[in-house]
Amino acid sequence: MERGYGMVKYVFKRILLMLMVFLIIISMCFVLVKLLPDKPAEQFGKDMALIEMRREALGYNKPLFEQYLIFVQKSLIGGDWGVSESLYVGQDVWGKFMEKMPATVAVNLYTMVFAVPLGLIFGIYAALRKNKWQDQVISTAVILFVSVPSYVYAFLVQYFLCFKLKWFPFQVEAGYDFFSWKMFVSMVPAIMSLGFGTVAGLTRYTRAELTEVLTSDFLLLARTKGLSKAQTTVRHAMRNAMVPIFPMILGEFVGIMGGSLIIEQIFGIPGVGPLYVSSITAAQPDYNFFLLLSAFYTLIGLASGIIVDISYGFIDPRIRMGSKK
Amino acid sequence: MNEKLYQDIPASAFEFVPEEGRMHDKKLETKPVGYFKDAMIRFSRNKGSVVAAFIILFLVLYAIFIPMFCENNYTRALTDTTYLNYTKLPPKVEGLGWLGMDGTTTETVNAATYNAYRGIAVETGLDPVVEIYRENYQDPTASKKSYFYDLKVDTYYKMGMMYMTLSPDEFEKIQAWQDETGIQVIYPAITDSKQTDANIWYEADRKGAPKLDKQGNLQDIYRTTTKDDTTYHSLRIAADNDPEKPLAYARVAGTSSNKSYIVRVSKYNYFQYRYGFEPAFVFGTNARGQDIFTRLAAGARFSFIFAICISAINLFIGAIYGAIEGYYGGAIDLVMERVSDVLSGVPFMVVTTLFQLHFANKVGVIPSLLFAFVLTGWIGMASRVRMQFYRFKGQEYILAARTLGASDWRLMFKHIFPNSLGTIITGSVLVIPGVIFSESSLTYLGIVNLESSTTTSVGTMLAMGKDYLATDPYIILFPALFISLLEISFNLFGNGLRDAFNPSLRGAE
């Protein structure tokens, strides 16, 4: 299989597969949502006939299949996800979504910028000093941080750093300027809560991979050839260890957005997560938001899987060739 | 030169090794150990995992036995709402005062509240004020001139009084109990019938600040009655020392045939009357007056049972699915893989929400949550089983069994399947903390509501406590501690299991 051609084919196949899966999932979601009883409640002082006429005009009473076609045509391809019903009445769903996106992206980006280097450094350090006291300390800390749920951190951080020591504000500053210092300081508790788990996971993984590489034969050969410890570690061990780690980091970058729901809720970050939660838990659930956000989260999950696979293929030629048994 | 020697060795140069009889292998020194026994030995060598296993056992026993043996003061009877009066009490355990669990809190109060505490102390003898840090100081930033006190208060004594309406029967019963034990429950009524704050038995202005007499003492406004009034014949407080004008201990209401008595009772002593012991909640009470200790155990019970059910169902479905996939391979494998691919692409939140919205009214909250977990939970188990099947499918003993005529199912479950028992056990054990974690996240976000007067879950308790993080952190502290301990122990335990069943993966964490 030629190198360039095979790679393109592989990527193409994966993307096509992902799109197919995504289509199936979103169609199922759509059908399930449309099956829910969605009659607007009787409200005092509102003209029911007018509401009915509006719904008729917007197409709520058309048969299911026709609604599905409209959905595919307008929303999936066109990008128009309709108008919000109960959360932000009358406003464009897509517009509101895009308004909230930067907050989520900012928090997650900051978290990754801090968590990834820290995780790598701790993992490498622990692997280099394997079984000495530094390694034991780091390993114990890793187990602690991986097990405790993220919202427990959030509470601890809030209680000790925000309430007792008053270093940071309880909630994130209002406004949308994400690169100012004040905003950053107020985001620190959220970044810490999100970051602890990521740092711990990355440390654990890096340490395991690097240990495995450090005990392999070719490294022994390199040492006997006369390379110094630093040379072997940096030029040979690190490169090999990064092979499984790098795709995981890329995957995390994309996938972490799906997991920050709770943190956004606790710290009052005006992001996509609380939008999702309130679209479900409101008295009159807002299904347009729900559909859009479900599609968003599904896409993120699938995309992170694909990115991991494809980058694995780029980095490790063995995967590209495929292992035929 | 050596070759000559080897070509022509005379037979006499040889010697039998054993002098008598046939040759046997040396007798085995150790007994044969089964697979599980071997794994158990490996497991017990890992100290961290053994400790973790004990912690898990302790938590499970806590969840099982506490609700059986301890009184939970919120389910004595569904109609018994006494507990609502005992909200937000901090933990108090005899002898653990040094940990901060002595039922006290520090607070800053103004002069009116301080005098109210004094009032409670004078009347009941239970002094809420444990220690005064700073008294009678003025806050320069306050708008009006008022005096503040920094105090350490015993929150249990701070509860003070409440008004209750009793039937004549109950009135007599309480009096009988008072005579028996000598503890004053009912305190005298006051003349001001419009006063709703039961703690005020003294002269006070409209805002509740007391009007002190010249020596700085509180002046009581007790209602007096005539000598012939025999409705109250039990203990009398010290201030009631005039036999001509005894104090009235109840305000009579209702018709003459259907009397009811409005009394002021001391909450602390009333608790003793109802339950027989002094109120001291090990983990405190939450905002609705429910004892956290027993409620946490009940919630833990529910979470554990829920997680174990889900683990068992996922194990069952996943094992069969993975076995069929792995054994038959080919087209069947491809199709089944696609199906599980699609199912795994759906985000968990979306699945749960859809199930909740559709089925919560018809089937109930808990079954629909169960369905949501089960829908995508078996995928991990199936892929692990599938991998194991691929590894062992080509072994010779399988071929031999098939030649002998074994059916497909027999081959699958009697021959290949036991090889994967190790991974299956580890996998299904590690599902449990994941389920508890997901379920607590969902209840915290409010997507699922498991709260009711009899059932609760650990996540619900966390959600209820988050509003009081600053004022009463213990409400959220104990459930959070429980869940963290559970997760950490399960992680260590799962690691130990994995190392025990799969020594080749040791050190890979």
Side-chain angles (χ1 to χ4, degrees):
Chain A
M1 202 190 296
E2 280 206 37
R3 193 175 152 129
Y5 185 59
M7 200 55 218
V8 168
K9 213 164 125 179
Y10 180 66
V11 169
F12 194 62
K13 229 172 35 157
R14 291 291 291 151
I15 292 188
L16 211 64
L17 201 63
M18 175 188 104
L19 282 178
M20 193 178 79
V21 171
F22 175 67
L23 203 67
I24 296 180
I25 294 179
I26 198 69
S27 308
M28 282 200 312
C29 272
F30 179 81
V31 168
L32 284 174
V33 166
K34 281 304 169 194
L35 283 180
L36 285 171
D38 192 23
K39 285 277 159 224
E42 291 283 331
Q43 296 163 40
F44 280 119
K46 299 229 173 132
D47 190 353
M48 282 314 292
L50 199 62
I51 294 184
E52 268 306 310
M53 277 192 341
R54 174 173 171 271
R55 289 176 70 83
E56 182 73 38
L58 282 178
Y60 274 98
N61 293 333
K62 294 203 185 129
L64 186 62
F65 193 60
E66 211 176 311
Q67 286 198 38
Y68 181 61
L69 286 179
I70 298 179
F71 173 67
V72 170
Q73 194 181 17
K74 280 180 77 185
S75 305
L76 287 182
I77 305 180
D80 170 21
W81 291 77
V83 156
S84 161
E85 289 295 315
S86 58
L87 278 188
Y88 298 95
V89 182
Q91 297 189 34
D92 181 32
V93 163
W94 180 259
K96 203 70 195 172
F97 173 66
M98 282 322 250
E99 215 178 282
K100 302 257 175 198
M101 262 294 256
T104 308
V105 170
V107 167
N108 287 310
L109 207 67
Y110 280 139
T111 312
M112 289 310 273
V113 160
F114 282 107
V116 167
L118 272 181
L120 283 177
I121 292 177
F122 279 132
I124 294 175
Y125 191 59
L128 286 179
R129 300 259 179 281
K130 186 167 161 60
N131 288 331
K132 300 216 190 86
W133 66 269
Q134 292 101 328
D135 180 31
Q136 301 283 13
V137 164
I138 292 185
S139 298
T140 333
V142 157
I143 296 230
L144 265 177
F145 283 125
V146 153
S147 323
V148 178
S150 60
Y151 48 86
V152 175
Y153 288 134
F155 290 134
L156 287 175
V157 163
Q158 260 195 331
Y159 187 66
F160 285 113
L161 294 185
C162 303
F163 179 61
K164 287 266 164 147
L165 293 177
K166 296 214 182 6
W167 281 353
F168 308 106
F170 264 102
Q171 302 214 314
V172 168
E173 291 286 324
Y176 292 99
D177 178 13
F178 290 111
F179 294 103
S180 67
W181 180 248
K182 197 148 169 264
M183 180 63 128
F184 177 70
V185 164
S186 69
M187 275 210 259
V188 168
I191 294 176
M192 282 176 75
S193 314
L194 256 185
F196 278 147
T198 322
V199 168
L202 202 57
T203 307
R204 180 162 76 158
Y205 203 54
T206 311
R207 179 184 167 277
E209 289 295 325
L210 198 58
T211 326
E212 203 180 311
V213 170
L214 280 174
T215 54
S216 56
D217 285 342
F218 72 90
L219 222 64
L220 188 58
L221 176 64
R223 290 281 283 145
T224 53
K225 267 203 309 187
L227 294 176
S228 76
K229 209 151 186 218
Q231 276 176 317
T232 52
T233 316
V234 172
R235 293 184 62 187
H236 293 285
M238 221 65 108
R239 284 223 181 130
N240 278 285
M242 279 307 138
V243 165
I245 295 176
F246 197 64
M248 192 181 113
I249 296 180
L250 278 184
E252 278 281 324
F253 253 103
V254 179
I256 198 173
M257 286 209 261
S260 59
L261 265 186
I262 297 193
I263 302 291
E264 289 179 14
Q265 189 82 320
I266 296 180
F267 288 102
I269 300 171
V272 164
L275 194 63
Y276 188 61
V277 175
S278 39
S279 77
I280 304 168
T281 55
Q284 175 83 343
D286 193 341
Y287 295 119
N288 291 329
F289 270 120
F290 179 67
L291 266 181
L292 173 60
L293 287 165
S294 306
F296 173 65
Y297 281 121
T298 313
L299 202 60
I300 284 199
L302 290 175
S304 93
I306 270 207
I307 289 185
V308 170
D309 278 344
I310 293 183
S311 54
Y312 234 118
F314 266 118
I315 295 181
D316 189 350
R318 297 176 289 182
I319 310 265
R320 240 179 289 154
M321 297 304 157
S323 50
K324 304 236 182 298
K325 224 180 159 184
Chain B
M1 184 176 84
N2 281 333
E3 290 169 18
K4 257 208 198 150
L5 242 69
Y6 289 152
Q7 268 175 348
D8 209 8
I9 307 178
S12 55
F14 286 93
E15 213 179 64
F16 265 125
V17 173
E19 308 239 288
E20 63 298 290
R22 299 159 44 191
M23 287 206 294
H24 295 271
D25 275 325
K26 250 187 19 181
K27 221 173 153 67
L28 288 172
E29 297 288 322
T30 54
K31 283 218 205 81
V33 174
Y35 176 57
F36 287 108
K37 192 113 190 266
D38 188 29
M40 202 47 46
I41 296 176
R42 267 202 292 269
F43 181 78
S44 40
R45 276 201 225 127
N46 185 350
K47 294 205 185 49
S49 309
V50 173
V51 169
F54 274 117
I55 294 183
I56 294 179
L57 191 67
F58 168 69
L59 290 175
V60 168
L61 287 177
Y62 166 74
I64 296 181
F65 287 116
I66 293 294
M68 273 198 245
F69 289 126
C70 293
E71 292 281 0
N72 25 8
N73 64 342
Y74 58 91
T75 54
R76 260 236 178 173
L78 281 178
T79 51
D80 178 8
T81 55
T82 331
Y83 68 88
L84 283 171
N85 293 311
Y86 297 96
T87 62
K88 294 200 269 177
L89 294 171
K92 178 176 184 171
V93 182
E94 291 292 317
L96 280 184
W98 50 272
L99 264 182
M101 291 170 78
D102 54 1
T104 60
T105 50
T106 42
E107 53 183 32
T108 308
V109 298
N110 58 12
T113 326
Y114 178 67
N115 281 315
Y117 290 160
R118 268 181 60 203
I120 299 178
V122 166
E123 196 179 20
T124 59
L126 305 169
D127 190 359
V129 178
V130 173
E131 216 179 296
I132 306 181
Y133 294 129
R134 259 204 320 178
E135 58 181 326
N136 242 346
Y137 67 96
Q138 276 189 295
D139 188 353
T141 64
S143 51
K144 290 189 285 190
K145 224 163 74 134
S146 42
Y147 293 92
F148 292 95
Y149 294 80
D150 277 341
L151 303 170
K152 184 171 179 195
V153 284
D154 185 334
T155 332
Y156 284 81
Y157 296 153
K158 190 178 92 161
M159 283 194 291
M161 312 288 194
M162 61 180 175
Y163 273 117
M164 281 187 72
T165 310
L166 301 173
S167 67
D169 215 16
E170 290 168 13
F171 197 49
E172 289 301 316
K173 268 206 271 198
I174 297 185
Q175 294 187 47
W177 188 83
Q178 281 187 178
D179 290 328
E180 202 183 305
T181 57
I183 300 179
Q184 184 91 29
V185 176
I186 304 183
Y187 283 86
I190 56 177
T191 49
D192 182 2
S193 56
K194 292 211 189 49
Q195 179 62 262
T196 47
D197 185 352
N199 281 323
I200 298 185
W201 52 271
Y202 39 79
E203 293 259 5
D205 63 15
R206 200 114 32 107
K207 290 198 217 121
K211 293 197 206 132
L212 308 171
D213 67 9
K214 291 206 203 66
Q215 285 103 2
N217 296 329
L218 299 158
Q219 311 167 76
D220 65 68
I221 47 169
Y222 288 138
R223 179 188 287 240
T224 54
T225 176
T226 60
K227 216 166 47 165
D228 317 316
D229 188 354
T230 51
T231 49
Y232 189 78
H233 46 81
S234 177
L235 296 177
R236 300 191 168 263
I237 65 173
D240 187 4
N241 41 20
D242 189 354
E244 292 300 312
K245 286 202 288 190
L247 297 178
Y249 281 75
R251 212 167 72 230
V252 183
T255 60
S256 53
S257 54
N258 196 0
K259 281 198 210 160
S260 62
Y261 295 99
I262 303 182
V263 293
R264 285 173 65 226
V265 292
S266 152
K267 283 193 193 175
Y268 194 83
N269 294 334
Y270 185 70
F271 188 89
Q272 295 182 56
Y273 161 68
R274 285 306 295 270
Y275 299 105
F277 52 88
E278 295 192 34
F281 300 105
V282 180
F283 285 164
T285 55
N286 66 4
R288 288 164 57 189
Q290 294 155 335
D291 171 30
I292 292 182
F293 188 62
T294 43
R295 201 156 166 82
L296 183 63
R301 221 189 221 191
F302 170 75
S303 296
F304 273 129
I305 296 182
F306 191 65
I308 291 179
C309 279
I310 289 181
S311 180
I313 297 180
N314 281 340
L315 166 67
F316 190 65
I317 300 181
I320 297 188
Y321 198 82
I324 297 181
E325 265 188 321
Y327 182 74
Y328 288 110
I332 296 184
D333 184 22
L334 212 64
V335 167
M336 289 172 102
E337 268 298 290
R338 285 297 133 241
V339 171
S340 61
D341 243 352
V342 170
L343 272 180
S344 67
V346 186
F348 180 62
M349 289 278 171
V350 175
V351 170
T352 324
T353 319
L354 281 174
F355 269 105
Q356 278 298 111
L357 291 173
H358 271 281
F359 295 126
N361 295 325
K362 293 184 213 151
V363 198
V365 176
I366 297 177
S368 62
L369 192 61
L370 199 98
F371 281 138
F373 271 108
V374 165
L375 191 73
T376 49
W378 52 264
I379 296 179
M381 179 67 63
S383 86
R384 268 187 285 245
V385 171
R386 173 174 171 272
M387 210 173 314
Q388 293 288 69
F389 264 73
Y390 266 118
R391 275 171 61 182
F392 290 108
K393 209 170 45 164
Q395 302 268 352
E396 301 233 320
Y397 61 89
I398 306 291
L399 182 59
R402 195 178 317 169
T403 330
L404 283 175
S407 72
D408 279 341
W409 283 90
R410 192 187 164 83
L411 276 176
M412 269 199 270
F413 287 105
K414 206 159 185 297
H415 293 283
I416 311 182
F417 194 71
N419 286 309
S420 44
L421 269 181
T423 24
I424 287 182
I425 293 182
T426 319
S428 53
V429 160
L430 283 177
V431 160
I432 294 180
V435 166
I436 296 187
F437 173 59
S438 304
E439 175 256 313
S440 52
S441 315
L442 285 171
T443 42
Y444 176 79
L445 286 174
I447 299 179
V448 166
N449 192 2
L450 286 172
E451 173 76 21
S452 78
S453 60
T454 46
T455 56
T456 184
S457 77
V458 182
T460 332
M461 298 194 67
L462 283 168
M464 287 210 324
K466 79 168 146 82
D467 297 324
Y468 303 100
L469 186 63
T471 48
D472 310 289
Y474 54 86
I475 300 183
I476 210 176
L477 176 73
F478 292 106
L481 211 67
F482 178 82
I483 213 176
S484 312
L485 210 61
L486 194 72
E487 295 271 328
I488 296 177
S489 318
F490 259 107
N491 248 308
L492 285 174
F493 184 61
N495 278 347
L497 270 187
R498 201 176 42 210
D499 290 344
F501 281 118
N502 248 341
S504 51
L505 287 178
R506 200 179 319 171
E509 286 276 43

